Amino acid sequence: VSDLIQAFRTNVDICYMAYFGHGGRSALYLGFREGKDYNLSPWGGVAEDASDSTAIEELPTENVRIDAWANLYSCNSATAEPGGVSMAKAFADHFGITVQGAGAGVGFDPKIGPYIRNWRILEAWRENIMGYQSGGGGWRWIMPDFISPVVP
């Protein structure tokens, strides 16, 4: 996470963000080790399989353009525990941008890129109905609760 924070501080005029990696309901697993510097979540602390995580509010926003957008190519990036906040929603609200996230497990093929298999979408819908999660399904576009006005 510290490298990600540094990237947001160093790069200016950020108009697009993409994350390719592991994730879970309300968590992105940025590294293979446990600990705050290897996991990101809406609030910090324990999140899904992460024993500790950094809150998304620690990511700097000043260099992200108001017309930027993001793709989170990770499993369950658009899902959350019931009553929780998905990582796609946390990104959207934190940066004030539109974010695409996955409502199920994601695979990656070098020829076609990220994908979600139909059986995973069906399983995610079942988990929604059973009350295990919210936001499950295919690819989802998530809007922020507040959209900054475009200033000429």
Side-chain angles (χ1 to χ4, degrees), residues 17-80:
M17 293 174 258
Y19 171 74
F20 291 84
H22 296 290
R25 294 181 190 119
S26 302
L28 296 180
Y29 311 128
L30 306 177
F32 293 106
R33 295 188 218 162
E34 288 294 319
K36 186 175 180 172
D37 200 42
Y38 299 98
N39 301 293
L40 189 66
S41 71
W43 302 286
V46 176
E48 186 76 358
D49 291 332
S51 62
D52 196 7
S53 65
T54 299
I56 195 165
E57 68 186 23
E58 293 189 34
L59 299 181
T61 61
E62 62 272 3
N63 290 329
V64 177
R65 294 169 38 145
I66 61 172
D67 61 342
W69 56 289
N71 291 98
L72 301 180
Y73 297 117
S74 68
C75 293
N76 299 305
S77 54
T79 66

Side-chain angles (χ1 to χ4, degrees), residues 8-20:
F8 277 109
R9 287 189 179 129
T10 304
N11 296 290
V12 296
D13 206 26
I14 298 169
C15 62
Y16 176 70
M17 293 174 258
Y19 171 74
F20 291 84

